[in-house]
Amino acid sequence: MVFSVFFPPAAAVQAAKVPVVYYLSGLTCTDDNFIQKAGAQRHAAELGLALVAPDTSPRGLGIEGEDDSWDFGTGAGFYVDATADKWKRYRMYSYILRELPQVLRTLPGLDLDNASICGHSMGGHGALVLALKNPGAFKSVSAFAPICNPTQVPWGQKAFAGYLGDSWQEAGKAYDATELVKAYTGPQLPVLMDTGGDDEFLKTQLHPWAFEEAAKGKLQVTSRMNEGYDHSYFTIASFVSDHLDFHARYLLASGPRI
């Protein structure tokens, strides 16, 4: 697995450790997309936040059919632990939650006990699910155009049927943010979501309103519908500073280091 880490200047101070923001990318992406396109490094440097950008799936495993479709297989791990025999090496949930942090702990300068998580589209789904299933693991969670109710939309149904097998309809609820938040009883979790009003996938795949309704009385959710914005990295670049400021509010006890 390949991942990218951005270290802010504050990490170069002797014995200093900086908070971490994980960024989970969406369908078809690699670890490079966010690093190259979002323009997040400058503001992360000012705030004193490290950025960790993992890939979206295993690659090159030689599984028959892994490259047949853009929305399943390579580049489309959906941040679940697959249970269908053919796909059992697709364990992106465990990779993000346990395996990647183990590797990161070998690097100096990262405070992995002080982390938040963010993502886009499929990665927004992953960020919400990881935060909801692991209360207290992340100080805050944010998402750009997240797939909020995957058991009810085509992208999620295709992925869950393939990775989770015949029982996907029930098993998929464990990876559905809207279903998870209904039963959430953990500590207060701040959530920020930005979705484009002109996002071509809004009505067919994203369904932020389902999560908003289910989260009422459960979480501190700020969900913004931004007219004129779509599903692209132009949208992410437009609001990424807001998201970093949001996470800094919970990660930096002394406030942003600007």
Side-chain angles (χ1 to χ4, degrees), residues 195-199 225-231 235 239:
T195 307
D198 289 349
D199 191 313
M225 188 64 61
N226 304 295
E227 296 306 320
Y229 289 88
D230 59 12
H231 202 71
T235 298
F239 297 101

Side-chain angles (χ1 to χ4, degrees), residues 53-160:
D55 204 346
T56 47
S57 77
R59 295 182 187 269
L61 296 184
I63 299 173
E64 181 184 0
E66 68 182 351
D67 297 323
D68 288 353
S69 177
W70 68 272
D71 56 357
F72 184 81
T74 301
F78 249 85
Y79 305 101
V80 305
D81 282 351
T83 54
D85 287 343
K86 182 177 178 180
W87 300 100
K88 280 188 175 179
R89 291 173 71 187
Y90 271 63
R91 298 180 60 79
M92 291 302 294
Y93 174 84
S94 289
Y95 171 66
I96 301 298
L97 183 65
R98 288 186 285 273
E99 296 172 19
L100 179 58
Q102 285 178 0
V103 176
L104 293 172
R105 288 186 188 279
T106 68
L107 305 177
L110 300 178
D111 184 359
L112 294 170
D113 296 320
N114 192 22
S116 291
I117 193 165
C118 177
H120 170 235
S121 193
M122 178 185 73
H125 139 76
L128 290 170
V129 166
L130 279 153
L132 289 167
K133 286 174 71 69
N134 300 279
F138 303 99
K139 299 293 180 64
S140 52
V141 57
S142 73
F144 302 93
I147 304 170
C148 288
N149 202 181
T151 58
Q152 303 301 313
V153 300
W155 279 344
Q157 291 168 350
K158 179 177 180 177
F160 289 177

